[in-house]
Amino acid sequence: MSLTNKQYRLAARPVGVPKDSDWEFTTEPVPEIGAGDVLVKNHYASLDPAMRGWMNEGRSYIPPVKIGAVMRAGTVGEVIASNSPDIKVGEFVSGMLGIQQYGKAAAKELTKVDPNLAPIENYLGGLGMPGLTAYFGLLDVGAVKEGDTVLVSGAAGAVGSIVGQIAKIKGARAVGIAGGAEKCAYVVDELGFDACLDYKSDSFKQDLKEPLKTGVDVYFDNVGGEILDIALARINRHARIVICGAISQYNNTTPMRGPQNYINLLVHHARMEGFVVFDYVTRYGEGVQDLATWYREGKLKLRNQIETGIGNFPSVLLKLFKGENTGKLLLKVVED
Amino acid sequence: MSLTNKQYRLAARPVGVPKDSDWEFTTEPVPEIGAGDVLVKNHYASLDPAMRGWMNEGRSYIPPVKIGAVMRAGTVGEVIASNSPDIKVGEFVSGMLGIQQYGKAAAKELTKVDPNLAPIENYLGGLGMPGLTAYFGLLDVGAVKEGDTVLVSGAAGAVGSIVGQIAKIKGARAVGIAGGAEKCAYVVDELGFDACLDYKSDSFKQDLKEPLKTGVDVYFDNVGGEILDIALARINRHARIVICGAISQYNNTTPMRGPQNYINLLVHHARMEGFVVFDYVTRYGEGVQDLATWYREGKLKLRNQIETGIGNFPSVLLKLFKGENTGKLLLKVVED
């Protein structure tokens, strides 16, 4: 084979917003595969807020990406060579093969996906990690129940858009927070949330009074910062605050802002609990099954925002932090 | 009767540390009692950090003390008149009769206490609200289990001193945080904690490394502020952070400091949960029974710091916020 493999490698640990010089764009031969390995031609890479955390040094739920390594990312693609009896050439798989056009992995590190059930890019979105994050975060950590008011930030994003839809499926009220009128219209009109509040609007703090007049039972937080405090100010007794992310704080060069209103946890006997989707790895099957069923039944609507060209990776990643995505942000890395 | 009743009434809502002018020291006749009422000669009043919160305007778990009202406080004293068949003259009762020498209440609002089991002042401490706060906070909210490392701030205080002792009774390790070498010695030598860290020491951050080298499973927070962040930095997977109080922040004139390290809840799938002891009113009997049993068996040591003279109330209250108490702070309001 004379194929070449374009890749993005981490060149430096970013301070604040990642700069072009934090990346190295490399080209190398497609790798040889060993016994039990599978070679995958990646079609799409998943761009996720969590990637910003993986670029930092220090103790976290997974090790940081090493300087010089291909940037970690979820991927979906087609098997083009296999030394494993479990996965055949021509099958489609998802995995964590990183920002590159070809990747290899042991068969057991890959998950087969069914292109007949859904377009393969959905296995990086609503039928993949973001969907599972919404699923376990809302149902297990948030313990949502019928009649609850669920507030979710990042409501037009990959995770938030699914949180609200699952809330509705479970008989709860869903109130979203998103940036801009267009995203809010999408959240209400297309996804069926009961309301959506535009945090960029001057009347934001006024606007949330009516939809939250009976308080918040579950707040699913993707953003942190001031919005977390606004939510904490309106919690009900025994409320659950689900800490899924804090995208407003990831590029800070000053210390993270802590929630001043945390003392409301005491006043209302409420709890704040964090998680990452990897905590639920043994239960992914259960989650995918429910998500796929709701998708087939038309109860779960999925939208992907597909950007094209591996060479655009550094700028496309920043769309997440500028709020320039609606639905799941993906990078198409396969060349037509 | 020609008895007079000295009282402290709230004159103004304090800004920051309560000043003398925030109080009015009044004298009035001892009240008449109506049908079903009981008249109590208060012996001791309980001084608690929560009282600072009750002085503020605004929505909380109980209404604020009204301007002009007798300051709310837990009390224990002797019944000197009764219009109730349920409580007899000469019996001892605890209640919330406030900072005054005599108080009346309906019999059902009072709890009889047994002066033969323990000196009556203990019913405002380890066998009363602070004891119950420690009990339900550690066992129910904190869900402590054998082998856990329990970290507690305010470890020499009314609640913290009991939290660590219950942790030991339940087979956990108890590590305290207190202000000053003397308090730390008391916590370790008299109460049996495994270690105690002096937060006023220059080497505090260094000192906590060894006793917390296996991380924190339960952090029982009485203080908030920087110490909450220090604890969050060392939590283990599935840790429980019990929010009981935030005494370091109660007299702030600037916004409360939120815990910057709350994002560690996500990294470690941990939770932070708040409560007040009143949440457990239906289970007080269970708690008092266990606490009294441990006290009788010598497993639970109780210390009260008794200050004298109702006229000293304003300055004695401030000892809580200056860290000038070891064990339960009480004001003896009965005159010999």
Side-chain angles (χ1 to χ4, degrees):
Chain A
M1 282 195 281
S2 64
L3 294 169
T4 58
N5 185 19
K6 293 179 190 164
Q7 310 168 309
Y8 266 96
R9 292 174 180 272
L10 186 63
R13 305 225 172 268
V15 177
V17 176
K19 304 178 299 296
D20 285 352
S21 60
D22 296 326
W23 303 110
E24 188 184 10
F25 192 34
T26 57
T27 303
E28 61 177 41
V30 170
E32 301 292 318
I33 58 172
D37 279 356
V38 171
L39 181 65
V40 182
K41 182 179 185 177
N42 292 330
H43 287 212
Y44 299 94
S46 179
L47 302 191
D48 297 283
M51 293 166 77
R52 182 62 189 83
W54 303 341
M55 297 164 77
N56 294 337
E57 199 109 47
R59 180 189 179 213
S60 189
Y61 58 92
I62 44 171
V65 176
K66 289 196 175 123
I67 298 294
V70 172
M71 181 60 201
R72 183 186 292 145
T75 52
V76 66
E78 183 179 1
V79 174
I80 59 168
S82 175
N83 286 338
S84 163
D86 300 326
I87 299 185
K88 294 187 191 63
V89 169
E91 292 190 304
F92 288 86
V93 293
S94 66
M96 296 292 289
L97 297 183
I99 304 294
Q100 57 181 344
Q101 295 179 298
Y102 297 88
K104 68 171 181 177
K108 65 176 191 313
E109 293 169 3
L110 299 168
T111 305
K112 288 188 204 182
V113 303
D114 180 358
N116 297 313
L117 171 63
I120 60 168
E121 55 269 32
N122 284 339
Y123 296 99
L124 297 179
L127 305 182
M129 292 298 164
L132 291 166
T133 301
Y135 182 90
F136 291 110
L138 184 64
L139 300 182
D140 197 76
V141 183
V144 73
K145 55 186 195 310
E146 202 177 327
D148 278 348
T149 292
V150 174
L151 178 68
V152 54
S153 52
V159 174
S161 62
I162 296 171
V163 168
Q165 292 184 81
I166 299 177
K168 295 298 294 178
I169 288 167
K170 294 295 181 181
R173 282 181 70 232
V175 179
I177 298 174
E182 203 172 326
K183 284 184 183 175
C184 278
Y186 162 69
V187 164
V188 172
D189 299 341
E190 290 192 45
L191 302 182
F193 284 44
D194 296 279
C196 185
L197 306 159
D198 173 8
Y199 74 85
K200 293 181 175 173
S201 163
D202 289 341
S203 58
F204 172 57
K205 287 184 189 174
Q206 193 59 37
D207 297 345
L208 53 72
K209 287 187 180 169
E210 173 62 24
L212 299 180
K213 69 184 175 199
T214 57
V216 172
D217 299 298
V218 178
Y219 172 54
F220 193 107
D221 190 26
N222 291 306
V223 303
E226 188 186 2
I227 290 178
L228 174 52
D229 270 322
I230 287 171
L232 280 165
R234 309 193 79 88
I235 55 175
N236 288 334
R237 194 164 169 76
H238 295 302
R240 288 81 70 200
I241 317 298
V242 181
I243 302 297
C244 178
I247 197 169
S248 72
Q249 307 291 304
Y250 289 167
N251 290 305
N252 280 5
T253 52
T254 51
M256 190 171 268
R257 173 184 161 143
Q260 294 164 353
N261 288 336
Y262 85 100
I263 205 71
N264 270 0
L265 299 175
L266 180 156
V267 175
H268 301 292
H269 202 138
R271 72 176 153 85
M272 180 184 288
E273 184 166 341
F275 79 109
V276 296
V277 68
F278 305 127
D279 299 336
Y280 292 92
V281 64
T282 59
R283 295 174 57 191
Y284 282 175
E286 166 195 338
V288 169
Q289 187 160 27
D290 275 350
L291 291 163
T293 302
W294 294 328
Y295 173 73
R296 273 197 312 267
E297 294 174 351
K299 291 178 185 162
L300 184 67
K301 297 196 175 69
L302 304 181
R303 184 193 281 198
N304 303 307
Q305 177 172 324
I306 298 176
E307 306 282 339
T308 303
I310 188 168
N312 296 321
F313 165 69
S315 62
V316 175
L317 180 67
L318 298 188
K319 287 178 180 278
L320 290 168
F321 304 108
K322 295 177 188 163
E324 292 176 358
N325 66 299
T326 300
K328 177 69 191 111
L329 185 65
L330 298 170
L331 185 64
K332 188 173 180 183
V333 297
V334 70
E335 288 168 356
D336 298 318
Chain B
M1 282 195 282
S2 64
L3 294 170
T4 58
N5 184 20
K6 293 179 190 164
Q7 309 166 311
Y8 266 96
R9 292 174 180 271
L10 186 63
R13 304 223 173 270
V15 177
V17 177
K19 305 179 299 295
D20 285 352
S21 60
D22 296 326
W23 302 111
E24 188 185 9
F25 192 34
T26 56
T27 302
E28 59 178 43
V30 169
E32 301 292 317
I33 58 173
D37 280 355
V38 171
L39 181 65
V40 183
K41 181 179 186 179
N42 292 330
H43 286 214
Y44 298 94
S46 178
L47 301 192
D48 297 284
M51 292 166 77
R52 181 64 189 82
W54 302 342
M55 297 164 77
N56 293 336
E57 198 110 47
R59 180 188 177 213
S60 190
Y61 57 93
I62 43 171
V65 176
K66 289 196 177 123
I67 297 294
V70 173
M71 181 60 200
R72 182 187 292 142
T75 51
V76 66
E78 184 179 1
V79 174
I80 58 169
S82 175
N83 286 340
S84 163
D86 300 325
I87 299 184
K88 294 187 190 66
V89 170
E91 291 190 305
F92 288 87
V93 293
S94 67
M96 296 292 288
L97 298 184
I99 304 294
Q100 56 183 344
Q101 295 179 299
Y102 297 86
K104 68 171 181 176
K108 65 177 189 316
E109 292 169 4
L110 299 168
T111 305
K112 289 189 205 183
V113 303
D114 180 357
N116 297 314
L117 170 62
I120 60 168
E121 55 269 32
N122 284 339
Y123 295 100
L124 297 179
L127 305 182
M129 293 297 165
L132 291 166
T133 301
Y135 182 89
F136 291 110
L138 183 65
L139 300 182
D140 197 76
V141 183
V144 73
K145 54 186 195 312
E146 201 176 327
D148 278 350
T149 292
V150 174
L151 178 68
V152 55
S153 53
V159 173
S161 62
I162 295 172
V163 168
Q165 293 184 80
I166 299 177
K168 294 299 294 178
I169 288 167
K170 295 293 180 180
R173 282 181 68 233
V175 179
I177 297 174
E182 202 172 327
K183 284 184 183 176
C184 278
Y186 162 68
V187 163
V188 172
D189 300 340
E190 290 193 46
L191 302 181
F193 283 45
D194 296 279
C196 185
L197 305 159
D198 174 7
Y199 74 84
K200 293 182 176 172
S201 163
D202 289 340
S203 58
F204 173 56
K205 287 182 189 177
Q206 193 59 38
D207 297 344
L208 52 74
K209 287 186 181 170
E210 173 62 24
L212 299 180
K213 69 183 175 201
T214 57
V216 172
D217 299 298
V218 178
Y219 173 52
F220 194 108
D221 189 26
N222 291 307
V223 302
E226 188 186 2
I227 289 177
L228 175 52
D229 269 323
I230 287 171
L232 280 166
R234 309 194 78 88
I235 55 174
N236 288 333
R237 194 164 170 74
H238 295 303
R240 288 82 69 200
I241 317 299
V242 181
I243 303 297
C244 178
I247 197 170
S248 73
Q249 308 290 303
Y250 289 167
N251 290 305
N252 280 5
T253 51
T254 52
M256 190 172 267
R257 172 184 162 141
Q260 295 165 352
N261 289 336
Y262 85 100
I263 205 71
N264 271 0
L265 299 175
L266 180 156
V267 174
H268 301 292
H269 202 138
R271 70 175 153 85
M272 179 183 288
E273 185 166 340
F275 79 109
V276 296
V277 68
F278 305 127
D279 299 336
Y280 291 92
V281 64
T282 60
R283 295 175 57 193
Y284 282 176
E286 168 194 335
V288 169
Q289 187 161 27
D290 275 350
L291 291 162
T293 301
W294 294 329
Y295 172 74
R296 273 198 311 268
E297 294 174 351
K299 291 178 185 164
L300 184 67
K301 298 196 174 69
L302 304 181
R303 183 193 282 198
N304 304 307
Q305 177 172 325
I306 298 175
E307 306 282 338
T308 304
I310 189 168
N312 296 322
F313 165 69
S315 62
V316 174
L317 179 67
L318 297 187
K319 287 178 179 279
L320 290 168
F321 305 108
K322 295 179 189 163
E324 292 177 358
N325 65 300
T326 299
K328 178 70 191 106
L329 185 65
L330 298 171
L331 184 65
K332 187 174 181 183
V333 296
V334 70
E335 287 168 356
D336 296 319

